[in-house]
Amino acid sequence: MAPSHAATGLLAGVLATAALSPLTPAGPLDYTAAAAIGAGAALLPDIDHPRSTATRSQGPLTAALSWLARRASAAVHHRTRTAADAATDGMHRHLWHTPAAALALGLAAGTAATLSTAALALITWFTTGLAVRGLAQALPRGADRARLTSWPATTLIALAATALLIGSGASPGPLVGAVLALGMIVHVLGDALTRTAVPLAWPFRVGGRRWAMIGPPRALRFRTGTWPEYVIRWTCLIAAPAVGFLLA
């Protein structure tokens, strides 16, 4: 679901910028930066899967982050689960697929980006690289897609975009935090639409379970790779630039 998650994050970044524009005036570059950060952030929850786009994006570095993320998720699951919760390893689609974790990471990222230009640049570079890699997967398989999703290409594009955005003063810290949190949340909501669902209510109990997998009625859920996913993906890919153009 990487390109679909990235597409929803792209639109979320644009909408978050518009919502915050009364507090943080935004121009075209701010919308562009937020869209890129949102698209990348929408891939972050899957850092809890060893073969996800986020985990493979920066080689050994993100592989190590994935290992830590999975162990942290398992530990939190073990400590907070109730007798009514299902017996699982607590890794994929657990802690990092909760709105609570998204809000916490967004607050941390926004604070760091506000206090440190280096942190702002690092967050922008990492999420923009993820955005390129995720969105490029919407292209047909072939040489162009392979080149665009390669490590050198995504890294260079992300570095160039980061230099432009930071140099122009776009993507202020608070906006970065808000967009990162919203990008992760739209990923979680997207996964809630699939057969497995996600623990939306954690850390609160639902029917005695803290890790209750919550989603719409089963008749409204879909399997990944089927037509509802493609409708969502392409609607967001078309709407994001259109809305950004109108609002910027």
Side-chain angles (χ1 to χ4, degrees), residues 98-182:
T98 65
L103 292 172
L105 282 180
L107 178 60
T111 301
T114 300
L115 297 177
S116 168
T117 302
L120 174 60
L122 179 63
I123 293 166
T124 304
W125 166 76
F126 183 67
T127 53
T128 301
L130 274 181
V132 174
R133 187 179 291 269
L135 292 170
Q137 291 181 48
L139 298 173
R141 292 183 182 275
D144 291 337
R145 170 173 157 174
R147 281 193 292 268
L148 194 55
T149 56
S150 67
W151 184 84
T154 55
T155 299
L156 288 174
I157 292 171
L159 284 173
T162 301
L164 172 64
L165 297 172
I166 299 298
S168 68
S171 64
L175 178 61
V176 167
V179 171
L180 188 141
L182 185 58

Side-chain angles (χ1 to χ4, degrees), residues 13-226:
V14 171
L15 296 177
T17 305
L20 294 174
S21 59
L23 302 175
T24 306
L29 277 177
D30 296 292
Y31 278 94
T32 302
I37 292 168
L43 299 180
L44 283 178
D46 277 343
I47 196 73
D48 65 8
H49 193 289
R51 295 186 300 277
S52 70
T53 297
T55 297
R56 294 182 287 110
S57 63
Q58 296 297 329
L61 173 61
T62 44
L65 289 175
S66 176
W67 186 90
L68 290 171
R70 295 196 304 273
R71 268 59 191 179
S73 180
V76 172
H77 174 261
H78 178 73
R79 290 180 177 274
T80 62
R81 69 185 181 186
T82 69
D85 281 310
T88 69
D89 62 13
M91 293 186 183
H92 183 49
R93 288 204 179 190
H94 279 77
L95 177 62
W96 306 112
H97 281 72
T98 65
L103 292 172
L105 282 180
L107 178 60
T111 301
T114 300
L115 297 177
S116 168
T117 302
L120 174 60
L122 179 63
I123 293 166
T124 304
W125 166 76
F126 183 67
T127 53
T128 301
L130 274 181
V132 174
R133 187 179 291 269
L135 292 170
Q137 291 181 48
L139 298 173
R141 292 183 182 275
D144 291 337
R145 170 173 157 174
R147 281 193 292 268
L148 194 55
T149 56
S150 67
W151 184 84
T154 55
T155 299
L156 288 174
I157 292 171
L159 284 173
T162 301
L164 172 64
L165 297 172
I166 299 298
S168 68
S171 64
L175 178 61
V176 167
V179 171
L180 188 141
L182 185 58
M184 292 183 67
I185 287 172
V186 295
H187 175 118
V188 172
L189 294 177
D191 280 356
L193 295 173
T194 64
R195 296 290 177 86
T196 308
V198 288
L200 285 176
W202 185 87
F204 303 104
R205 297 189 185 201
V206 175
R209 296 174 293 164
R210 280 204 177 93
W211 297 96
M213 295 297 170
I214 298 173
R218 287 196 173 272
L220 299 179
R221 300 186 202 178
F222 57 84
R223 286 189 293 183
T224 58
T226 55

